[in-house]
Amino acid sequence: MTTIDSSQDHAGRRLAAADAELLADSIRSAGLKVTAPRLAVLRALTVMPHSNAEALFGAVHADLPGTSLQAVYGVLASFGTAGLVRKIEPAGSPALFERRVGDNHHHIVCTRCSVVHDVDCAVGHAPCLTPADALGFDVRAAEVIYWGLCAQCQLDTSNP
Amino acid sequence: MTTIDSSQDHAGRRLAAADAELLADSIRSAGLKVTAPRLAVLRALTVMPHSNAEALFGAVHADLPGTSLQAVYGVLASFGTAGLVRKIEPAGSPALFERRVGDNHHHIVCTRCSVVHDVDCAVGHAPCLTPADALGFDVRAAEVIYWGLCAQCQLDTSNP
DNA sequence: CATTTGTTTTGAGTGAATCAAAACAAATGC
DNA sequence: GCATTTGTTTTGATTCACTCAAAACAAATG
């Protein structure tokens, strides 16, 4: 009974359908079967990047009430290995997910409100891939997390 | 009954005692009370940096069988807030601890065997503290984790 | 040595994630 | 179209790393 296109109103129908097709295509071309939970997770991730599994479950569950939290974990795991999403794990936070993959961008996290933004590399191209001394390691990736106060929290803490 | 100096043999005694005094001093000068579990954790951390709480508990428990895992967590938490140890949390790993604090060095983790080494900053002084665009954030810290294969694992995987 | 303050033990509890088996749905071939 | 195969999702239990709280205890201070 659940249709894959979750739009109910006439106005948004055409757009949502096209959107669903795009989402479906990226799932298919990653070599995965297209299912309603997968579409719902991918759509949620488009609207709210840097979300954790719980938050995505909330969003998905609103559209598709039958979906379980474990299904969301399963979808995210398959998306992860298929290269469709990237998982980031800032210290002290549950894992967050985003659709922006393939470029090596980094993240900046607010120590007060935990908001996360993408940031491009500090220095030129594939910047941080060169430690001063790699100690014999074959370095494959560099992950940078900046910590600080976001603009809003700077205001909030200076005017308490 | 448990003495703070855990050395039992004559040969190592003088050195171990001096060592214990050094450890005790750093704990005291961080404003914390000196206790047997704290000395044991700090000593273990000196011998095996980049250890997790469980591993430290193992080492501590060998010297000081009465010590609980929760005590180790408590010691690590107090050391952390006192600035005596640094906690690192690589993705997919329990938290690791090290005594090297105050410099902003980074880490390189083997994706195969999980060994961790310290690496100095990629570029000059306080290097990674400048993202391309900080998006209004007041950036306070940058954490870099390099991922790759350690020298040993490169050998192991090319000669299977 | 008595007191105060802070630490450790003991035991329970939490959040985030994983695992396994059975039920189910999408893609494929007939 | 329908049956089969393959892969996904549900359900339910379980694990791991860690946190919390109260009582017992030990270090520092006077």
Side-chain angles (χ1 to χ4, degrees):
Chain A
M1 199 74 278
T2 306
T3 63
I4 269 173
D5 178 357
S6 70
S7 67
Q8 303 300 330
D9 64 297
H10 235 55
R13 204 187 184 293
R14 190 106 60 101
L15 213 99
D19 184 46
E21 246 342 287
L22 278 177
L23 295 174
D25 282 348
S26 48
I27 294 172
R28 239 187 310 273
S29 52
L32 298 171
K33 288 187 179 173
V34 176
T35 67
R38 285 180 176 175
L39 284 170
V41 169
L42 201 56
R43 178 176 291 135
L45 220 35
T46 305
V47 180
M48 37 190 259
H50 310 132
S51 295
N52 62 30
E54 202 75 43
L56 292 168
F57 170 67
V60 165
H61 199 260
D63 284 18
L64 218 54
T67 313
S68 67
L69 175 59
Q70 285 81 342
V72 173
Y73 276 109
V75 167
L76 290 170
S78 60
F79 282 2
T81 52
L84 220 51
V85 309
R86 178 171 163 194
K87 181 183 188 180
I88 61 175
E89 298 174 60
S93 157
L96 307 177
F97 299 85
E98 65 184 354
R99 289 192 68 187
R100 188 175 160 191
V101 292
D103 63 343
N104 72 329
H105 74 275
H106 302 309
H107 297 95
I108 187 163
V109 184
C110 180
T111 47
R112 186 161 171 274
C113 72
S114 300
V115 69
V116 176
H117 286 290
D118 292 333
V119 293
D120 289 305
C121 278
V123 218
H125 176 63
C128 311
L129 252 166
T130 318
D133 178 359
L135 298 156
F137 273 67
D138 177 16
V139 180
R140 294 301 177 84
E143 236 183 287
V144 184
I145 297 192
Y146 297 98
W147 296 91
L149 272 184
C150 71
Q152 188 58 54
C153 286
Q154 289 173 55
L155 287 176
D156 292 355
T157 49
S158 55
N159 308 334
Chain B
M1 197 77 267
T2 306
T3 61
I4 271 176
D5 178 356
S6 68
S7 66
Q8 301 301 329
D9 64 298
H10 234 55
R13 202 184 185 298
R14 190 109 57 105
L15 213 98
D19 184 47
E21 247 341 290
L22 278 177
L23 294 175
D25 283 348
S26 47
I27 293 171
R28 239 187 309 272
S29 52
L32 297 171
K33 288 187 179 174
V34 176
T35 67
R38 285 180 175 174
L39 284 170
V41 169
L42 202 55
R43 177 175 293 137
L45 221 34
T46 306
V47 180
M48 33 189 262
H50 311 131
S51 294
N52 61 32
E54 201 75 42
L56 292 168
F57 170 66
V60 166
H61 199 260
D63 284 18
L64 218 55
T67 314
S68 67
L69 175 59
Q70 285 79 344
V72 173
Y73 275 108
V75 168
L76 291 170
S78 60
F79 282 0
T81 52
L84 219 51
V85 308
R86 179 172 161 194
K87 182 183 187 179
I88 60 175
E89 298 173 63
S93 157
L96 307 178
F97 298 86
E98 64 184 356
R99 289 192 67 187
R100 188 175 159 191
V101 293
D103 63 345
N104 71 331
H105 73 276
H106 303 308
H107 297 95
I108 187 163
V109 183
C110 181
T111 47
R112 185 163 172 274
C113 73
S114 299
V115 68
V116 177
H117 285 290
D118 292 333
V119 294
D120 290 305
C121 279
V123 220
H125 177 61
C128 310
L129 252 165
T130 318
D133 177 359
L135 298 156
F137 273 69
D138 178 16
V139 179
R140 294 302 176 84
E143 235 182 288
V144 184
I145 296 193
Y146 298 98
W147 296 91
L149 273 184
C150 72
Q152 188 57 54
C153 286
Q154 289 173 58
L155 288 176
D156 292 355
T157 50
S158 56
N159 309 334

